[in-house]
Amino acid sequence: MIIMMILSMIMIIISNIFIFLSFIISKKSLMDREKCSPFECGFDPKCLARIPFSLHFFLITMIFLIFDVEITLIFPIIPSFYLTNMIVWWKISSFFILMLLIGLYHEWNQNMLNWTN
């Protein structure tokens, strides 16, 4: 156990040394105005350099990611069935799935699940 703690401390110290060295050695300037501009050739841009962003597509992506994370949170419920009391397991899993269904209903009620506007 002590060997694991010593090795983890050594790895943390070595990684912090490398991070510190990379900040010292790097020549990147965070406040350079020319580097922050969309074109570095010296000319002013004639049109927007950024592509138009679809907020609706972004919200659908966030909903997908949230439900994807919730699916990964549901997976441990299945093996815990054999380790806990049946009534406690039923209450916890029912509460969790009820919260997911309430969130799904709210998103459906706000018309967030429509692909087109």
Side-chain angles (χ1 to χ4, degrees), residues 7-45:
L7 287 175
S8 64
M9 290 300 292
I10 289 172
M11 287 190 295
I12 290 172
I13 291 171
I14 289 173
S15 63
N16 284 333
I17 288 172
F18 280 124
I19 291 171
F20 182 70
L21 285 176
S22 70
F23 282 130
I24 291 174
I25 294 173
S26 70
K27 295 181 181 179
K28 186 191 300 186
S29 175
L30 298 175
M31 303 306 274
D32 191 8
R33 185 170 98 69
E34 293 297 322
K35 292 284 186 180
C36 293
S37 66
F39 299 105
E40 297 180 15
C41 62
F43 298 108
D44 292 330

Side-chain angles (χ1 to χ4, degrees), residues 77-113:
I77 290 176
I78 298 166
S80 69
F81 175 73
Y82 298 110
L83 301 174
T84 61
N85 187 2
M86 178 66 174
I87 297 171
V88 173
W89 181 84
W90 178 255
K91 287 180 183 178
I92 291 173
S93 60
S94 297
F95 178 74
F96 186 70
I97 292 179
L98 180 69
M99 289 295 116
L100 294 180
L101 290 175
I102 289 173
L104 180 64
Y105 174 74
H106 177 69
E107 291 168 356
W108 186 22
N109 195 20
Q110 297 293 321
N111 291 329
M112 291 303 302
L113 299 178

Side-chain angles (χ1 to χ4, degrees), residues 54-67 115:
S54 172
L55 185 62
H56 188 70
F57 180 74
F58 175 75
L59 291 175
I60 289 174
T61 306
M62 287 296 111
I63 290 170
F64 172 76
L65 287 175
I66 288 169
F67 278 109
W115 285 93

